[in-house]
Amino acid sequence: MGTTDSTASSLGTPTEAGRRLGAPVPEAGGAPSGAAARLARFLPALAAYGLLVALLLASDTSPGDVARYTFYAAWGVVLPGTLVFRALRRRPHTLIEDLAFGAVVGLVLELAAWAVLVGLGLQSAATAWPLAVVVPFAAVPRLRRHWLPRGYRRTSTAWNWSVAGIVGGTSAYLYAVALSRNPILPDAESTRQYIDLPYLLSLAGNAKHNVPLTFPQAAGEPLHYHWFTFVHMAMTDMVGHIDLPVVQMRLMVPALVALAMVVTAVVGHRLSGRAWVGPVAALLVFAVGEFNAVYPLNTQGWPFGAPLVPLMAWTSLSLTYSQPLLMALIGVVADALRRDGTDSGDEAVPRLGRGGYVLVAMFALASSAAKASLLPVTLAGLAVAGLMVLIGTRRIPWTIVRLGAIVGGAQLFATAVLFRFESYGLEVLPFGNIERYWADPQHTRGTAVQALVVAATLVAFLLNHQLRLVGMLPLMWRRRLRLDPVQWFLLGGAVAGPAAYLVVNGFNASYFTLAGLPFGVLLSAWGYCEVFERAALPARGKAALAAGTLAFVGLLTYGVHEYSGDWARFALDAIGDSAGAQSYTLLVPLLAAAAALAGAALVCGLLWWAAGRALPALRRRGGLVLLTAALVAGAPSLLLDVAQARQVTWDGAWPMPASQVEAARWVRAHSKPSDILVTNDHYRSNAEYGAVGEAGWNPLSFWLSGYSERSVLVEGWAYSPRLMSQKTAVFWDQPLLKLNDDAIYNPTADILRELHDRYHVRYLVADRKPVPESPLLKTLATPVFDNGRMAVYELS
């Protein structure tokens, strides 16, 4: 695909064009011009890394843990992955691309290393696994050249600092909302923690000792789930020798988010041929959130499922882990589609070559059990691209067929082997996730009114989740829908994600929407950059656009923060719903805000047109201003999340007393991985805990398996695949549950002997908060730990 208009012909030589557009330009002689030049090129990366280190240290992360994690990332992920990526790609492009794709390849390689190490019981040798890659690349002459490749092109200084600034911004955001707000280990009885975090920690602990993983809250129960995230956490622990809570609460999330931003930046350039598509896409995928007009915004304010950034970035670890994998998969698939005649916009991006198919297979397999929503959306994107190419050329697009076979094979492997066809409660029910907003059980609305409510609900959905994708509209309009295969692939994925959410019922279906978002933001950024290029703003115009954008975001953020309550009351009064009793009440502030902004845009557009008659410099540039405002309309969500984190406790932050963690950590230090635990704590509540006897109520206790890194005979079973698919809260083996609880409250020698001999139980962990354990227990088992609230007994 060539550059789209006469702008290209006015840019001069490819090198001059690259400098103007921010594209990479060849290094003189293939080597840097000196030490100062090398330092200047690496300074943005060093600055982003230094900021992250400072934020980690400020949030009570030890310098030793930071150093060990840096070693792990360099030695265990980036080095082996980069060497393998260089061997697979045909020609070098930029150093940052090699390192970014190389890091993702490293995440894939560590999955294979984990399976071998844990399967053979060689966890103690985990630090040495990269030698399996390093030694061949050092010994084999044909591979040795990949240590110091030549021919890199330099990315511009502005591009480097832009990407570094985005990474730094994400680090600062995570520090404000998570790192500075949550201790590594609960340090008081009043500590509160998001309910999922100990469960996720338990899976990482399980991954250190089991291939495949099992369900730690019910010893021996299989785990048919997307669990590759927790393999990554386990390998971080084993290779870097870093405690799992430190990995989870401090190191993993900011590192993976930073990697996702960098991968997005290089993929945006590779698939579009425009260097600035990458940074713009990175901003849209992270810094610009969902459009809303509510503050504070807790889970009841998420009208259409989980958002990508607020809360989810640091609590949905599988989502965070999956983002760089999905972006890399999009990048290598799109590169293969370029082989069908699509060229880069500035002719500066060499194709990956045949090794790209190997990369597609690697990233698809890793994505399959990183997040179950990724590959279905990717397959849909390929299906759309294949169909449109078939219609346009009347030839079978064999490249797309091959790519579909690879991705489809990975999906089949995950569905049949890893997930065992578990649905986790998802079911095909069109509009099941949103029909509550137009529900009218009493039939009080006429047909016309009901149709209006349904239409308004769908519009609200598009505005809430999809507004940042409007940049694709000018791209599609200008090409009159004559898109190339890469663009059809992106458009197909962008549409498939939200479409799946509308067809498949269940909260987890919202992850399909999030899986479609990376496809959409890449296409949206592509369209925006083309509009920006055509506007040909002078330096003053660019500065004015930047200042105006910041002012708009600031005013919008201030307005939502200060007046969202008043706005909601005004909007509800205006439609006669003062009591907030209608099914669509939650959507009214969002729709009213969108209408108000659209009205303001119309007035400003008319004024711009009138002013353009007197000021020629304004002509043909109003569309760029309007598009910029639309794209950043969701930016306040990130800023408001920072303010909210300091004022309001998130929904789902439940008690996690330090005394429980202390007992679990004692067990971890005094037990073997094969030891099984028994506890009387199965239930949780937002206030404290469910009382004994409230069977079937909120079985969400995960702290013991999480912080002990051991399996429990019966702990909290709410997240078991068996019950998620059956939509019940009753434990499936009631005799086993009774045996478990009798060991604490009604112990006998026979009960304890059966637990020890048949179920390999070594420790009983009693929580005295609901009801103290039986006094007989200390005569039948050995007391080994007591901190007042918690007691631990050993069976021998």
Side-chain angles (χ1 to χ4, degrees), residues 634-672:
S637 64
L638 199 72
L639 301 173
L640 292 171
D641 194 33
V642 174
Q644 180 169 323
R646 300 185 176 279
Q647 300 171 4
V648 182
T649 300
W650 272 108
D651 291 350
W654 287 11
M656 180 52 62
S659 57
Q660 288 187 325
V661 175
E662 182 187 16
R665 300 273 288 179
W666 186 94
V667 171
R668 172 178 173 270
H670 295 83
S671 63
K672 298 179 295 183

mmCIF file of all heavy atoms in Angstrom, residues 634-672:
data_model
loop_
_atom_site.group_PDB
_atom_site.id
_atom_site.type_symbol
_atom_site.label_atom_id
_atom_site.label_comp_id
_atom_site.label_asym_id
_atom_site.label_seq_id
_atom_site.Cartn_x
_atom_site.Cartn_y
_atom_site.Cartn_z
ATOM 1 N N GLY A 634 -12.553 9.771 26.228
ATOM 2 C CA GLY A 634 -12.503 8.810 27.323
ATOM 3 C C GLY A 634 -11.292 8.951 28.216
ATOM 4 O O GLY A 634 -11.131 8.191 29.181
ATOM 5 N N ALA A 635 -10.420 9.922 27.935
ATOM 6 C CA ALA A 635 -9.197 10.090 28.732
ATOM 7 C C ALA A 635 -9.468 10.406 30.200
ATOM 8 O O ALA A 635 -8.674 10.003 31.065
ATOM 9 C CB ALA A 635 -8.316 11.174 28.109
ATOM 10 N N PRO A 636 -10.547 11.121 30.555
ATOM 11 C CA PRO A 636 -10.772 11.398 31.983
ATOM 12 C C PRO A 636 -10.891 10.149 32.846
ATOM 13 O O PRO A 636 -10.623 10.212 34.051
ATOM 14 C CB PRO A 636 -12.090 12.192 31.969
ATOM 15 C CG PRO A 636 -12.100 12.885 30.649
ATOM 16 C CD PRO A 636 -11.483 11.892 29.702
ATOM 17 N N SER A 637 -11.275 9.016 32.280
ATOM 18 C CA SER A 637 -11.458 7.818 33.107
ATOM 19 C C SER A 637 -10.171 7.417 33.814
ATOM 20 O O SER A 637 -10.184 6.978 34.967
ATOM 21 C CB SER A 637 -11.980 6.657 32.260
ATOM 22 O OG SER A 637 -11.035 6.281 31.285
ATOM 23 N N LEU A 638 -9.043 7.574 33.139
ATOM 24 C CA LEU A 638 -7.766 7.220 33.754
ATOM 25 C C LEU A 638 -7.418 8.208 34.862
ATOM 26 O O LEU A 638 -6.981 7.812 35.957
ATOM 27 C CB LEU A 638 -6.667 7.212 32.699
ATOM 28 C CG LEU A 638 -5.398 6.434 33.064
ATOM 29 C CD1 LEU A 638 -5.674 4.946 33.037
ATOM 30 C CD2 LEU A 638 -4.277 6.757 32.086
ATOM 31 N N LEU A 639 -7.602 9.492 34.611
ATOM 32 C CA LEU A 639 -7.289 10.503 35.613
ATOM 33 C C LEU A 639 -8.233 10.398 36.813
ATOM 34 O O LEU A 639 -7.812 10.540 37.966
ATOM 35 C CB LEU A 639 -7.394 11.893 34.985
ATOM 36 C CG LEU A 639 -6.476 12.133 33.774
ATOM 37 C CD1 LEU A 639 -6.779 13.477 33.137
ATOM 38 C CD2 LEU A 639 -5.011 12.062 34.191
ATOM 39 N N LEU A 640 -9.498 10.127 36.543
ATOM 40 C CA LEU A 640 -10.460 9.993 37.630
ATOM 41 C C LEU A 640 -10.193 8.739 38.448
ATOM 42 O O LEU A 640 -10.468 8.707 39.651
ATOM 43 C CB LEU A 640 -11.879 9.967 37.069
ATOM 44 C CG LEU A 640 -12.357 11.279 36.448
ATOM 45 C CD1 LEU A 640 -13.684 11.085 35.733
ATOM 46 C CD2 LEU A 640 -12.466 12.379 37.502
ATOM 47 N N ASP A 641 -9.667 7.720 37.810
ATOM 48 C CA ASP A 641 -9.305 6.508 38.539
ATOM 49 C C ASP A 641 -8.224 6.793 39.569
ATOM 50 O O ASP A 641 -8.228 6.239 40.672
ATOM 51 C CB ASP A 641 -8.845 5.443 37.553
ATOM 52 C CG ASP A 641 -8.769 4.065 38.183
ATOM 53 O OD1 ASP A 641 -9.585 3.776 39.076
ATOM 54 O OD2 ASP A 641 -7.898 3.276 37.789
ATOM 55 N N VAL A 642 -7.281 7.657 39.212
ATOM 56 C CA VAL A 642 -6.225 8.041 40.157
ATOM 57 C C VAL A 642 -6.830 8.773 41.353
ATOM 58 O O VAL A 642 -6.495 8.492 42.516
ATOM 59 C CB VAL A 642 -5.170 8.916 39.457
ATOM 60 C CG1 VAL A 642 -4.162 9.448 40.453
ATOM 61 C CG2 VAL A 642 -4.464 8.123 38.358
ATOM 62 N N ALA A 643 -7.725 9.728 41.078
ATOM 63 C CA ALA A 643 -8.368 10.457 42.173
ATOM 64 C C ALA A 643 -9.216 9.519 43.018
ATOM 65 O O ALA A 643 -9.217 9.602 44.263
ATOM 66 C CB ALA A 643 -9.238 11.583 41.604
ATOM 67 N N GLN A 644 -9.922 8.607 42.380
ATOM 68 C CA GLN A 644 -10.804 7.708 43.112
ATOM 69 C C GLN A 644 -10.026 6.767 44.014
ATOM 70 O O GLN A 644 -10.484 6.410 45.098
ATOM 71 C CB GLN A 644 -11.635 6.906 42.110
ATOM 72 C CG GLN A 644 -12.604 5.932 42.749
ATOM 73 C CD GLN A 644 -13.567 5.367 41.742
ATOM 74 O OE1 GLN A 644 -14.003 6.066 40.850
ATOM 75 N NE2 GLN A 644 -13.919 4.111 41.897
ATOM 76 N N ALA A 645 -8.851 6.326 43.565
ATOM 77 C CA ALA A 645 -8.060 5.383 44.349
ATOM 78 C C ALA A 645 -7.686 5.960 45.708
ATOM 79 O O ALA A 645 -7.470 5.218 46.669
ATOM 80 C CB ALA A 645 -6.797 4.998 43.580
ATOM 81 N N ARG A 646 -7.621 7.287 45.806
ATOM 82 C CA ARG A 646 -7.236 7.921 47.064
ATOM 83 C C ARG A 646 -8.443 8.309 47.922
ATOM 84 O O ARG A 646 -8.277 8.765 49.040
ATOM 85 C CB ARG A 646 -6.389 9.159 46.784
ATOM 86 C CG ARG A 646 -5.117 8.819 46.021
ATOM 87 C CD ARG A 646 -4.203 10.016 45.843
ATOM 88 N NE ARG A 646 -2.961 9.620 45.182
ATOM 89 C CZ ARG A 646 -1.920 9.054 45.809
ATOM 90 N NH1 ARG A 646 -1.984 8.839 47.104
ATOM 91 N NH2 ARG A 646 -0.833 8.721 45.143
ATOM 92 N N GLN A 647 -9.640 8.125 47.383
ATOM 93 C CA GLN A 647 -10.821 8.584 48.098
ATOM 94 C C GLN A 647 -11.838 7.484 48.372
ATOM 95 O O GLN A 647 -12.528 7.509 49.384
ATOM 96 C CB GLN A 647 -11.509 9.701 47.294
ATOM 97 C CG GLN A 647 -10.633 10.919 47.064
ATOM 98 C CD GLN A 647 -11.267 11.901 46.093
ATOM 99 O OE1 GLN A 647 -12.378 11.721 45.640
ATOM 100 N NE2 GLN A 647 -10.533 12.958 45.757
ATOM 101 N N VAL A 648 -11.935 6.522 47.467
ATOM 102 C CA VAL A 648 -13.006 5.538 47.528
ATOM 103 C C VAL A 648 -12.399 4.145 47.396
ATOM 104 O O VAL A 648 -11.533 3.924 46.557
ATOM 105 C CB VAL A 648 -14.038 5.762 46.395
ATOM 106 C CG1 VAL A 648 -15.174 4.746 46.509
ATOM 107 C CG2 VAL A 648 -14.577 7.178 46.437
ATOM 108 N N THR A 649 -12.876 3.207 48.216
ATOM 109 C CA THR A 649 -12.416 1.836 48.119
ATOM 110 C C THR A 649 -13.129 1.141 46.968
ATOM 111 O O THR A 649 -14.342 1.239 46.821
ATOM 112 C CB THR A 649 -12.706 1.075 49.426
ATOM 113 O OG1 THR A 649 -12.037 1.728 50.501
ATOM 114 C CG2 THR A 649 -12.225 -0.363 49.330
ATOM 115 N N TRP A 650 -12.352 0.429 46.168
ATOM 116 C CA TRP A 650 -12.950 -0.278 45.040
ATOM 117 C C TRP A 650 -13.876 -1.377 45.530
ATOM 118 O O TRP A 650 -13.618 -2.039 46.532
ATOM 119 C CB TRP A 650 -11.865 -0.891 44.175
ATOM 120 C CG TRP A 650 -11.356 0.026 43.122
ATOM 121 C CD1 TRP A 650 -10.140 0.647 43.093
ATOM 122 C CD2 TRP A 650 -12.037 0.436 41.940
ATOM 123 N NE1 TRP A 650 -10.032 1.424 41.980
ATOM 124 C CE2 TRP A 650 -11.180 1.311 41.249
ATOM 125 C CE3 TRP A 650 -13.295 0.161 41.399
ATOM 126 C CZ2 TRP A 650 -11.532 1.893 40.037
ATOM 127 C CZ3 TRP A 650 -13.643 0.748 40.191
ATOM 128 C CH2 TRP A 650 -12.761 1.595 39.536
ATOM 129 N N ASP A 651 -14.959 -1.603 44.792
ATOM 130 C CA ASP A 651 -15.781 -2.786 45.033
ATOM 131 C C ASP A 651 -14.902 -4.022 44.896
ATOM 132 O O ASP A 651 -14.060 -4.116 44.009
ATOM 133 C CB ASP A 651 -16.907 -2.879 43.996
ATOM 134 C CG ASP A 651 -17.952 -1.788 44.178
ATOM 135 O OD1 ASP A 651 -17.898 -1.099 45.203
ATOM 136 O OD2 ASP A 651 -18.808 -1.645 43.277
ATOM 137 N N GLY A 652 -15.120 -4.981 45.779
ATOM 138 C CA GLY A 652 -14.341 -6.213 45.704
ATOM 139 C C GLY A 652 -13.083 -6.194 46.537
ATOM 140 O O GLY A 652 -12.362 -7.189 46.572
ATOM 141 N N ALA A 653 -12.784 -5.076 47.221
ATOM 142 C CA ALA A 653 -11.646 -5.039 48.141
ATOM 143 C C ALA A 653 -12.146 -5.524 49.498
ATOM 144 O O ALA A 653 -12.795 -4.791 50.228
ATOM 145 C CB ALA A 653 -11.075 -3.631 48.240
ATOM 146 N N TRP A 654 -11.835 -6.773 49.816
ATOM 147 C CA TRP A 654 -12.374 -7.422 51.011
ATOM 148 C C TRP A 654 -11.283 -7.618 52.056
ATOM 149 O O TRP A 654 -10.091 -7.512 51.759
ATOM 150 C CB TRP A 654 -13.000 -8.765 50.630
ATOM 151 C CG TRP A 654 -14.308 -8.601 49.902
ATOM 152 C CD1 TRP A 654 -14.829 -7.450 49.395
ATOM 153 C CD2 TRP A 654 -15.232 -9.637 49.593
ATOM 154 N NE1 TRP A 654 -16.032 -7.691 48.794
ATOM 155 C CE2 TRP A 654 -16.313 -9.033 48.898
ATOM 156 C CE3 TRP A 654 -15.281 -10.999 49.818
ATOM 157 C CZ2 TRP A 654 -17.406 -9.753 48.449
ATOM 158 C CZ3 TRP A 654 -16.373 -11.731 49.367
ATOM 159 C CH2 TRP A 654 -17.425 -11.107 48.701
ATOM 160 N N PRO A 655 -11.657 -7.914 53.287
ATOM 161 C CA PRO A 655 -10.658 -8.045 54.358
ATOM 162 C C PRO A 655 -9.627 -9.132 54.064
ATOM 163 O O PRO A 655 -9.962 -10.213 53.582
ATOM 164 C CB PRO A 655 -11.507 -8.420 55.581
ATOM 165 C CG PRO A 655 -12.867 -7.888 55.294
ATOM 166 C CD PRO A 655 -13.038 -8.045 53.816
ATOM 167 N N MET A 656 -8.371 -8.818 54.356
ATOM 168 C CA MET A 656 -7.283 -9.786 54.273
ATOM 169 C C MET A 656 -6.376 -9.560 55.486
ATOM 170 O O MET A 656 -5.349 -8.882 55.407
ATOM 171 C CB MET A 656 -6.505 -9.633 52.966
ATOM 172 C CG MET A 656 -5.345 -10.625 52.801
ATOM 173 S SD MET A 656 -5.816 -12.327 53.054
ATOM 174 C CE MET A 656 -6.996 -12.559 51.749
ATOM 175 N N PRO A 657 -6.760 -10.112 56.661
ATOM 176 C CA PRO A 657 -6.029 -9.843 57.897
ATOM 177 C C PRO A 657 -4.602 -10.371 57.864
ATOM 178 O O PRO A 657 -4.335 -11.448 57.320
ATOM 179 C CB PRO A 657 -6.863 -10.562 58.961
ATOM 180 C CG PRO A 657 -8.210 -10.772 58.338
ATOM 181 C CD PRO A 657 -7.952 -10.940 56.873
ATOM 182 N N ALA A 658 -3.713 -9.633 58.474
ATOM 183 C CA ALA A 658 -2.306 -10.031 58.517
ATOM 184 C C ALA A 658 -2.110 -11.325 59.281
ATOM 185 O O ALA A 658 -1.191 -12.095 58.986
ATOM 186 C CB ALA A 658 -1.480 -8.912 59.139
ATOM 187 N N SER A 659 -2.966 -11.594 60.276
ATOM 188 C CA SER A 659 -2.813 -12.825 61.061
ATOM 189 C C SER A 659 -3.018 -14.062 60.202
ATOM 190 O O SER A 659 -2.331 -15.075 60.397
ATOM 191 C CB SER A 659 -3.803 -12.824 62.232
ATOM 192 O OG SER A 659 -5.133 -12.688 61.765
ATOM 193 N N GLN A 660 -3.938 -14.008 59.253
ATOM 194 C CA GLN A 660 -4.131 -15.150 58.364
ATOM 195 C C GLN A 660 -2.919 -15.351 57.462
ATOM 196 O O GLN A 660 -2.464 -16.480 57.255
ATOM 197 C CB GLN A 660 -5.385 -14.934 57.512
ATOM 198 C CG GLN A 660 -6.687 -15.065 58.288
ATOM 199 C CD GLN A 660 -7.894 -15.005 57.372
ATOM 200 O OE1 GLN A 660 -7.887 -14.285 56.371
ATOM 201 N NE2 GLN A 660 -8.934 -15.736 57.712
ATOM 202 N N VAL A 661 -2.407 -14.270 56.921
ATOM 203 C CA VAL A 661 -1.249 -14.363 56.040
ATOM 204 C C VAL A 661 -0.037 -14.874 56.813
ATOM 205 O O VAL A 661 0.748 -15.684 56.295
ATOM 206 C CB VAL A 661 -0.964 -13.000 55.395
ATOM 207 C CG1 VAL A 661 0.314 -13.039 54.574
ATOM 208 C CG2 VAL A 661 -2.142 -12.572 54.526
ATOM 209 N N GLU A 662 0.120 -14.436 58.037
ATOM 210 C CA GLU A 662 1.236 -14.906 58.855
ATOM 211 C C GLU A 662 1.183 -16.417 59.037
ATOM 212 O O GLU A 662 2.200 -17.110 58.910
ATOM 213 C CB GLU A 662 1.215 -14.211 60.220
ATOM 214 C CG GLU A 662 2.372 -14.610 61.130
ATOM 215 C CD GLU A 662 2.235 -14.052 62.530
ATOM 216 O OE1 GLU A 662 1.127 -13.621 62.910
ATOM 217 O OE2 GLU A 662 3.251 -14.068 63.270
ATOM 218 N N ALA A 663 -0.004 -16.944 59.320
ATOM 219 C CA ALA A 663 -0.147 -18.391 59.499
ATOM 220 C C ALA A 663 0.145 -19.130 58.202
ATOM 221 O O ALA A 663 0.843 -20.158 58.202
ATOM 222 C CB ALA A 663 -1.550 -18.713 59.994
ATOM 223 N N ALA A 664 -0.377 -18.621 57.085
ATOM 224 C CA ALA A 664 -0.148 -19.282 55.798
ATOM 225 C C ALA A 664 1.328 -19.271 55.426
ATOM 226 O O ALA A 664 1.862 -20.271 54.917
ATOM 227 C CB ALA A 664 -0.985 -18.601 54.718
ATOM 228 N N ARG A 665 1.992 -18.168 55.679
ATOM 229 C CA ARG A 665 3.418 -18.085 55.348
ATOM 230 C C ARG A 665 4.242 -19.008 56.253
ATOM 231 O O ARG A 665 5.270 -19.547 55.825
ATOM 232 C CB ARG A 665 3.893 -16.633 55.488
ATOM 233 C CG ARG A 665 3.172 -15.651 54.583
ATOM 234 C CD ARG A 665 3.787 -15.537 53.233
ATOM 235 N NE ARG A 665 5.057 -14.826 53.283
ATOM 236 C CZ ARG A 665 5.820 -14.605 52.213
ATOM 237 N NH1 ARG A 665 5.430 -15.063 51.024
ATOM 238 N NH2 ARG A 665 6.954 -13.957 52.311
ATOM 239 N N TRP A 666 3.808 -19.197 57.494
ATOM 240 C CA TRP A 666 4.498 -20.149 58.372
ATOM 241 C C TRP A 666 4.379 -21.557 57.792
ATOM 242 O O TRP A 666 5.362 -22.312 57.753
ATOM 243 C CB TRP A 666 3.898 -20.106 59.781
ATOM 244 C CG TRP A 666 4.665 -20.960 60.757
ATOM 245 C CD1 TRP A 666 5.672 -20.577 61.586
ATOM 246 C CD2 TRP A 666 4.485 -22.371 60.960
ATOM 247 N NE1 TRP A 666 6.140 -21.656 62.306
ATOM 248 C CE2 TRP A 666 5.422 -22.774 61.937
ATOM 249 C CE3 TRP A 666 3.629 -23.328 60.434
ATOM 250 C CZ2 TRP A 666 5.521 -24.080 62.385
ATOM 251 C CZ3 TRP A 666 3.738 -24.649 60.869
ATOM 252 C CH2 TRP A 666 4.666 -25.018 61.838
ATOM 253 N N VAL A 667 3.196 -21.906 57.350
ATOM 254 C CA VAL A 667 2.996 -23.228 56.752
ATOM 255 C C VAL A 667 3.881 -23.385 55.520
ATOM 256 O O VAL A 667 4.484 -24.447 55.299
ATOM 257 C CB VAL A 667 1.517 -23.430 56.402
ATOM 258 C CG1 VAL A 667 1.329 -24.699 55.570
ATOM 259 C CG2 VAL A 667 0.666 -23.501 57.664
ATOM 260 N N ARG A 668 3.956 -22.358 54.709
ATOM 261 C CA ARG A 668 4.785 -22.418 53.504
ATOM 262 C C ARG A 668 6.240 -22.714 53.853
ATOM 263 O O ARG A 668 6.911 -23.484 53.149
ATOM 264 C CB ARG A 668 4.685 -21.090 52.756
ATOM 265 C CG ARG A 668 5.630 -20.925 51.571
ATOM 266 C CD ARG A 668 5.388 -19.573 50.902
ATOM 267 N NE ARG A 668 6.359 -19.274 49.870
ATOM 268 C CZ ARG A 668 7.512 -18.637 50.075
ATOM 269 N NH1 ARG A 668 7.827 -18.226 51.311
ATOM 270 N NH2 ARG A 668 8.342 -18.396 49.079
ATOM 271 N N ALA A 669 6.718 -22.111 54.926
ATOM 272 C CA ALA A 669 8.123 -22.276 55.314
ATOM 273 C C ALA A 669 8.400 -23.622 55.976
ATOM 274 O O ALA A 669 9.563 -24.041 56.044
ATOM 275 C CB ALA A 669 8.534 -21.150 56.250
ATOM 276 N N HIS A 670 7.359 -24.315 56.441
ATOM 277 C CA HIS A 670 7.562 -25.549 57.208
ATOM 278 C C HIS A 670 6.888 -26.763 56.579
ATOM 279 O O HIS A 670 6.605 -27.748 57.277
ATOM 280 C CB HIS A 670 7.043 -25.366 58.637
ATOM 281 C CG HIS A 670 7.798 -24.353 59.430
ATOM 282 N ND1 HIS A 670 7.542 -22.999 59.356
ATOM 283 C CD2 HIS A 670 8.832 -24.487 60.313
ATOM 284 C CE1 HIS A 670 8.361 -22.343 60.156
ATOM 285 N NE2 HIS A 670 9.157 -23.212 60.748
ATOM 286 N N SER A 671 6.623 -26.699 55.277
ATOM 287 C CA SER A 671 5.946 -27.806 54.621
ATOM 288 C C SER A 671 6.590 -28.107 53.288
ATOM 289 O O SER A 671 7.395 -27.331 52.764
ATOM 290 C CB SER A 671 4.460 -27.484 54.433
ATOM 291 O OG SER A 671 4.298 -26.355 53.579
ATOM 292 N N LYS A 672 6.217 -29.244 52.712
ATOM 293 C CA LYS A 672 6.655 -29.631 51.374
ATOM 294 C C LYS A 672 5.548 -29.313 50.378
ATOM 295 O O LYS A 672 4.368 -29.269 50.743
ATOM 296 C CB LYS A 672 6.979 -31.124 51.346
ATOM 297 C CG LYS A 672 8.114 -31.544 52.259
ATOM 298 C CD LYS A 672 8.352 -33.043 52.177
ATOM 299 C CE LYS A 672 7.142 -33.815 52.701
ATOM 300 N NZ LYS A 672 7.387 -35.284 52.693
#
